[in-house]
């Protein structure tokens, strides 16, 4: 029995090291994901005003979608858009901006209210897209933080395929 008691601390120490290594790898993987969880900042509460003037609150975006007073632009890649997007949205991948912007400008008046979105609390695609659109004179362009995730969570209108863009 004495040998058994000597092994217990060793087993516990090894288990603790394995757990620490797993947690470390999980934190590293989360940090590398563009849509990783924000571990050190609290998510905005439902009624909180956006911290960034380029943001649009979910409630306003949903109202504008319902009354048709905004153009929604999905800043994610075409494959993500085809898998699911806000109903009626256009696909305007931020990383392919130069490919589609000319047609967008030809079809979209500068005063149009534009709501860009992507997925994940740390996704910067929609913010980047809005900054580019604003630099081209689209002063009413705003982005919806974690737009796709929050939109789906609220059960707001969605669709799949390429019909919206």
């Amino acid at each position: 029995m004495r040998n058994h008691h000597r092994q217990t601390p060793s087993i516990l120490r090894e288990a603790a090291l394995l757990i620490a290594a797993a947690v470390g790898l999980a934190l590293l993987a989360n940090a590398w994901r563009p849509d990783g969880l924000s571990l050190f900042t609290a998510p905005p509460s439902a009624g909180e005003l956006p911290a960034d003037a380029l943001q649009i609150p979910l409630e306003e975006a949903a109202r504008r979608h319902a009354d048709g007073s905004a153009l929604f632009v999905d800043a994610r890649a075409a494959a993500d858009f085809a898998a699911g997007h806000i109903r009626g949205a256009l696909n305007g991948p931020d990383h392919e901006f130069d490919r589609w912007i000319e047609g967008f400008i030809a079809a979209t008046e500068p005063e149009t209210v534009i709501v860009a979105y992507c997925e994940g609390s740390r996704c910067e695609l929609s913010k980047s897209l809005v900054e580019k659109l604003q630099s081209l004179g689209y002063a009413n362009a705003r982005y919806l933080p974690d737009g796709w995730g929050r939109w789906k969570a609220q059960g707001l209108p969605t669709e799949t395929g390429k019909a919206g863009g």
Side-chain angles (χ1 to χ4, degrees), residues 65 84-88 148 151-152 155-160:
H65 186 270
H85 54 269
I86 293 174
R87 185 179 299 151
W148 179 236
W151 192 269
K152 286 188 308 184
L156 295 166
T158 65
E159 62 187 359
T160 59

Side-chain angles (χ1 to χ4, degrees), residues 24 52 89 104 125 129:
D52 180 336
F104 182 88
L125 298 174
L129 179 57

Side-chain angles (χ1 to χ4, degrees), residues 1-130:
M1 280 288 183
R2 290 187 187 255
N3 268 347
H4 177 69
H5 289 293
R6 283 188 213 144
Q7 289 179 343
T8 302
S10 175
I11 291 171
L12 291 176
R13 188 171 32 255
E14 289 176 21
L17 286 172
L18 283 172
I19 291 170
V23 168
L25 287 173
L27 289 170
L28 185 61
N30 183 63
W32 280 85
R33 288 183 57 120
D35 62 342
L37 298 173
S38 180
L39 301 174
F40 302 106
T41 57
S45 60
E48 192 173 305
L49 289 175
D52 180 336
L54 296 180
Q55 291 181 14
I56 185 170
L58 178 61
E59 297 76 16
E60 182 180 348
R63 179 184 56 77
R64 288 189 170 277
H65 186 270
D67 67 18
S69 65
L71 173 63
F72 284 72
V73 180
D74 190 321
R76 301 174 301 152
D80 293 327
F81 178 82
H85 54 269
I86 293 174
R87 185 179 299 151
L90 301 176
N91 187 212
D94 180 60
H95 67 279
E96 295 179 8
F97 186 78
D98 293 339
R99 179 186 59 77
W100 60 264
I101 191 58
E102 192 174 311
F104 182 88
I105 290 171
T108 310
E109 297 297 325
E111 61 275 1
T112 303
V113 175
I114 299 168
V115 178
Y117 68 92
C118 55
E119 183 173 14
S121 61
R122 294 183 2 201
C123 179
E124 295 287 325
L125 298 174
S126 57
K127 182 177 182 179
S128 172
L129 179 57
V130 163

